Amino acid sequence: MQMKLVDLAAQNAEIREAVETEMAVVHRETAYVGGARVEAFEQEFARFLGARHVLTVSSGTDALRLALLAAGVGPDDEVITVPMTFIATVEAIVQTGARPVFVDVDPATCNMSPAALLKYLERKRFNSLNGPRAILPVHLYGMPAPMPELIAIAKRFKLAVIEDACQAHGARVKIGGRWVATGTMGDAGCFSFYPGKNLGAWGEGGAIATDNEDLARRIRSMRDHGRISHYLHEEYGYNARLDALQAVVLRAKLVQLERWNQKRRELAAAYRELFASDEVRLQHEPADASSCWHLFTIRSRRRDAIRNALLMNKIECGIHYPVPLHLQPACHALAYRSGDFPVSEQIADTVLSLPLHPHLSNLDIVRVAELVREALHSSVPPVSIEDREKRRATEMEVHG
Ligand SMILES: Cc1ncc(COP(=O)(O)O)c(C=O)c1O
């Protein structure tokens, strides 16, 4: 039987009854966009995160774009992010009219390197018209970025902090002895409810968490055609609302989220124990961080041999991401080159996501780890630099 990277059918089996009952009510009431269920979900997710406000929107990309716009980001601004992320992070920046700038990630955590950020900010002389306005760190694979350090740097340079928490529903950072949710430490935190996320809808969806009243008010209006009352519009806005059917699914899954995340943590710990030697490189979980393990990744020069072995044994795996953003054709105008962000490039060349979801067993994890080991010691040669360059030129993105 196929072992899945993400098993949505197994999730659905757990929530189907609750969802079907609620869906029947939505169909009876015919309130399909916004409404009581969307508001209830916003309150429940805000409580889960410990945020003052949650504003739902129609995707994670919209969440990022609206959060940036509400924070005042626009043409002539720079927004600093990382090249090792999904394209949506940078799309959202470009869609505000701002210019994305990359700094490299830390090789241990795969997240924005505070040292690289500081180096960029200290080296560059900015004039007030085209300087950086915000940083956009990503909690990659569900692993919290080093927020206290990044926020301290942002404060020093008077930059807004928008968190890309699209892969980090329920990850936490310990600050002053207290666990704080990712997505609640910056000015705003953005979530995606794409179906495969730890908290996923049955379609598209997203949300912004913020404690800032002004940001919340602005986003509430912008997501709904700039409305301040039914036919009064304070500005041109967007149609970026969540629909009630998705809210029904998200409310049912939110009840399970902590338990599902806990199961992911246990399975990730099992993988970590099985890979305790230095055969493959694992994403480092700092002592003050608790990942929600959206993805469990290993890194190896023999990545492609491992991938083939898993696929041949009907075990799904993925590459997140094979081409770092600075080398994407879409980002050509930013004029970066191969070699500009060596850590991101090395991760792209070696990273592999193994199956990890709450409906796997410890035996499944042992089986995957055994196959990885076998592939590591097989006689298939590792991928050459020439092959890598060729693949970079042709590889399709794996949406996760
Ligand atoms: C890191 C990251 N940012 C942004 C997004 C965009 O979210 P959505 O697909 O809901 O627009 C995703 C989703 O895949 C993501 O993984």
Side-chain angles (χ1 to χ4, degrees):
M1 212 174 76
Q2 188 92 2
M3 193 189 299
K4 293 189 159 299
L5 195 56
V6 187
D7 192 346
L8 297 182
Q11 284 187 10
N12 290 348
E14 285 197 47
I15 60 159
R16 221 179 78 200
E17 231 178 271
V19 168
E20 281 176 357
T21 309
E22 277 295 293
M23 291 255 180
V25 181
V26 175
H27 291 311
R28 213 166 40 240
E29 293 177 353
T30 66
Y32 288 112
V33 178
R37 275 159 197 80
V38 172
E39 281 165 28
F41 171 67
E42 289 179 339
Q43 282 163 18
E44 288 157 7
F45 195 42
R47 209 172 309 131
F48 175 87
L49 294 172
R52 197 168 294 158
H53 302 281
V54 161
L55 295 314
T56 51
V57 289
S58 43
S59 69
T61 311
D62 276 339
L64 289 164
R65 180 172 41 144
L66 294 188
L68 288 165
L69 287 168
V73 170
D76 295 331
D77 291 329
E78 264 187 9
V79 177
I80 305 170
T81 190
V82 288
M84 184 34 69
T85 176
F86 182 56
I87 186 93
T89 312
V90 83
E91 279 172 338
I93 298 171
V94 171
Q95 287 165 6
T96 67
R99 177 188 155 80
V101 169
F102 297 123
V103 295
D104 213 347
V105 296
D106 180 286
T109 63
C110 308
N111 279 321
M112 185 181 276
S113 154
L117 175 65
L118 195 57
K119 191 167 161 199
Y120 174 76
L121 288 167
E122 281 180 338
R123 193 192 294 156
K124 249 196 126 178
R125 295 263 173 275
F126 302 103
N127 68 49
S128 58
L129 274 182
N130 65 1
R133 178 76 181 240
I135 62 167
L136 182 34
V138 181
H139 304 293
L140 194 70
Y141 313 140
M143 184 67 74
M147 292 311 294
E149 292 98 312
L150 295 175
I151 288 172
I153 296 170
K155 272 205 179 117
R156 192 175 137 202
F157 289 86
K158 297 189 172 50
L159 306 176
V161 179
I162 308 296
E163 292 171 68
D164 183 336
C166 286
Q167 301 184 358
H169 316 68
R172 295 185 284 254
V173 179
K174 204 173 204 173
I175 300 178
R178 203 167 62 88
W179 286 102
V180 181
T182 46
T184 66
M185 289 169 273
D187 297 284
C190 302
F191 294 86
S192 161
F193 302 130
Y194 186 76
K197 303 297 183 189
N198 288 31
L199 179 61
W202 284 357
E204 304 283 356
I208 300 150
T210 184
D211 285 349
N212 182 310
E213 299 294 334
D214 289 340
L215 282 188
R217 196 201 63 74
R218 186 91 208 285
I219 292 163
R220 201 171 279 122
S221 160
M222 268 196 300
R223 72 176 171 182
D224 190 18
H225 300 287
R227 251 191 193 116
I228 40 178
S229 68
H230 196 64
Y231 282 122
L232 200 58
H233 308 267
E234 63 180 347
E235 62 178 329
Y236 296 122
Y238 299 85
N239 179 356
R241 301 165 300 206
L242 188 73
D243 67 65
L245 296 174
Q246 301 308 338
V248 166
V249 174
L250 290 166
R251 288 184 78 194
K253 286 197 183 177
L254 182 58
V255 174
Q256 312 296 337
L257 181 60
E258 193 44 47
R259 188 171 58 84
W260 285 347
N261 277 351
Q262 196 45 41
K263 181 74 190 190
R264 285 174 186 268
R265 288 187 179 108
E266 284 163 26
L267 296 175
Y271 267 137
R272 294 174 86 78
E273 218 164 281
L274 290 161
F275 292 128
S277 70
D278 53 8
E279 291 166 317
V280 291
R281 185 156 193 188
L282 303 176
Q283 190 183 21
H284 174 64
E285 185 178 43
D288 61 354
S290 175
S291 176
C292 65
W293 299 105
H294 172 56
L295 293 170
F296 187 88
T297 57
I298 58 173
R299 277 180 274 162
S300 166
R301 284 187 65 232
R302 304 189 68 90
R303 186 262 307 276
D304 292 3
I306 299 170
R307 181 169 176 247
N308 288 341
L310 293 178
L311 293 178
M312 269 167 44
N313 284 278
K314 294 197 163 70
I315 293 176
E316 289 182 0
C317 49
I319 300 178
H320 303 90
Y321 298 93
V323 183
L325 294 190
H326 66 291
L327 302 179
Q328 289 285 352
C331 300
H332 181 74
L334 301 177
Y336 289 114
R337 292 208 202 134
S338 186
D340 281 349
F341 302 104
V343 180
S344 294
E345 289 170 35
Q346 218 224 3
I347 295 171
D349 287 340
T350 55
V351 77
L352 186 69
S353 305
L354 302 182
L356 180 82
H357 61 73
H359 299 91
L360 286 176
S361 69
N362 273 46
L363 273 182
D364 292 324
I365 301 300
V366 170
R367 183 158 162 251
V368 175
E370 269 170 8
L371 285 166
V372 169
R373 280 246 183 68
E374 270 171 36
L376 276 170
H377 299 119
S378 77
S379 52
V380 181
V383 181
S384 69
I385 296 195
E386 294 73 37
D387 287 345
R388 240 183 267 153
E389 292 299 322
K390 256 188 259 157
R391 198 187 48 242
R392 272 219 189 108
T394 56
E395 191 109 33
M396 294 295 291
E397 185 52 82
V398 182
H399 190 169

